[in-house]
Amino acid sequence: MRTEQLVRTFVEFYEERGHRRITGSTLLPPPGDPVLFTTSGMHPLTPYLKGRPHPLGRRLVNVQRCLRTTDLDEVGDTTHLTVFEMLGTWSLGDYEGPASLEWGYELLTEGLGVDPGLLHATVFGGDERTGPDTASLELWQGLGVPVEPTAEDNWWPNGSEGTVGPCGPDSEIFLWSGDGPPQSTPTRDNRWVEVWNHVTMTHHRLGDGSLVPLPQRNVDTGLGLERLASLLQGKPSVFSCDLFDPWRRLVPALWELDEPSLRLVCDHLRSAVVILGDGVRPANTGRGYVLRRLVRRVLTALRRDDPSRS
Ligand code: SER
């Protein structure tokens, strides 16, 4: 299934279930937002998750480009990208997490043809502040999907992705990427690839780490487009899905690179183009510095692999 068709299937599935499509925003968060770039689809929706009525209603769907510098050192493995697209859905004080998971399961298996035997889920197992997410656990058990409870891995966002803002327990859906039959669990075997995160946003986390209940319970889901596309296309990494075809044609024709460097160069050039397109220019600080850093890392990889330098 080509990525274009995957996006269409996703959006139409949710539109048929009462969701209105909203336009994705740029990578630049609104003024006053403390982060440099939009890191997930929920980011531009923060005021509505905190209770402001959205003009299009309580069920939304979209495609949002995101950028994560927290994953920069992992770029080059099979699943991480700096800029990626997130397919997102929201319930703004409408339906609850288990309803969202049930639709997610239906879309993956019936809409996109994923073998249900290749799925695994994780749920929030509870911690000293909040009880376990038994409703999601029971939903997965009822569907016959193996499920693993964890603590900090199933609270979004965890510390590395920002500390203030809406947050809550999540249930993550993993797809088996190994050659043989599925084994083990997502926390113990990284051949389980996380593709879709369903967060029940219940709280707002303040700067001191304390949690304040939100005026409404929301559901925020984010599906990594390139990850799911590569798995559906039977490709060994995100760099081999159809979205990277132009990069894989262009870059090796210009420079002779080993596979890790090729992946890094494709990722960083693609990310730099998107950042430039959103209006950022190279600088010594802030967003412009992220752009400079990406270009510098490309140049380092090109010089390292340049045979004329050895
Ligand atoms: N906000 C969650 C994430 O980024 C789900 O969209 O994973």
Side-chain angles (χ1 to χ4, degrees):
M1 178 180 284
R2 300 203 42 96
T3 306
E4 215 180 285
Q5 192 189 344
L6 166 52
V7 172
R8 207 172 34 247
T9 307
F10 182 93
V11 172
E12 284 172 4
F13 180 91
Y14 282 97
E15 282 177 339
E16 282 159 17
R17 287 157 185 78
H19 294 66
R20 299 283 301 278
R21 181 168 183 172
I22 50 170
T23 316
S25 308
T26 76
L27 281 177
L28 312 190
D33 197 306
V35 305
L36 288 179
F37 291 104
T38 297
T39 56
S40 72
M42 55 73 60
H43 212 122
L45 292 173
T46 306
Y48 308 103
L49 294 164
K50 286 173 25 189
R52 188 196 294 174
H54 193 284
L56 291 182
R58 283 141 71 98
R59 297 184 182 194
L60 307 173
V61 58
N62 91 344
V63 185
Q64 173 65 48
R65 56 184 173 280
C66 301
L67 184 149
R68 290 193 182 170
T69 48
T70 45
D71 293 337
L72 215 54
D73 288 329
E74 300 189 64
V75 167
D77 70 0
T78 55
T79 55
H80 287 91
L81 294 169
T82 308
V83 167
F84 61 97
E85 290 200 272
M86 191 182 274
L87 303 180
T89 64
W90 292 275
S91 155
L92 301 174
D94 190 355
Y95 56 84
E96 285 276 337
S100 173
L101 293 173
E102 202 164 2
W103 276 336
Y105 177 83
E106 185 187 337
L107 173 60
L108 285 173
T109 55
E110 289 170 33
L112 298 171
V114 172
D115 174 354
L118 299 181
L119 294 174
H120 205 304
T122 58
V123 294
F124 183 64
D127 62 13
E128 64 290 345
R129 287 189 293 197
T130 332
D133 180 4
T134 27
S136 300
L137 180 78
E138 284 166 8
L139 186 276
W140 287 123
Q141 287 169 336
L143 289 171
V145 174
V147 54
E148 181 180 31
T150 83
E152 67 266 29
D153 284 352
N154 283 97
W155 185 273
W156 199 91
N158 63 28
S160 65
E161 286 168 284
T163 48
V164 294
C167 60
D170 67 11
S171 179
E172 299 179 354
I173 305 176
F174 293 77
L175 205 50
W176 178 249
S177 67
D179 286 334
Q183 295 167 25
S184 193
T185 69
T187 61
R188 282 178 281 166
D189 190 325
N190 62 13
R191 287 175 295 175
W192 286 108
V193 176
E194 183 203 335
V195 290
W196 200 352
N197 188 9
H198 293 232
V199 187
T200 302
M201 290 200 155
T202 52
H203 290 82
H204 188 92
R205 185 159 49 194
L206 304 178
D208 63 3
S210 58
L211 299 180
V212 182
L214 286 170
Q216 65 192 26
R217 288 168 68 86
N218 308 290
V219 182
D220 151 48
T221 87
L223 182 153
L225 178 62
E226 293 86 347
R227 276 192 196 180
L228 184 60
S230 58
L231 290 166
L232 292 178
Q233 291 166 15
K235 301 291 184 183
S237 88
V238 283
F239 297 95
S240 319
C241 79
D242 59 341
L243 288 177
F244 275 87
D245 286 349
W247 294 99
R248 286 203 162 257
R249 271 197 305 271
L250 179 77
V251 174
L254 294 172
W255 302 293
E256 203 180 304
L257 298 166
D258 61 18
E259 180 65 19
S261 298
L262 175 62
R263 288 178 180 184
L264 184 138
V265 169
C266 288
D267 171 86
H268 287 12
L269 285 180
R270 176 180 182 249
S271 302
V273 167
V274 177
I275 297 172
L276 281 162
D278 278 350
V280 177
R281 294 294 172 265
N284 289 335
T285 55
R287 296 183 182 115
Y289 181 66
V290 173
L291 175 58
R292 275 186 81 152
R293 208 167 144 215
L294 289 170
V295 174
R296 206 163 52 211
R297 284 167 61 100
V298 168
L299 292 174
T300 306
L302 294 182
R303 293 208 181 106
R304 193 180 48 225
D305 284 16
D306 182 352
S308 67
R309 286 173 56 89
S310 54

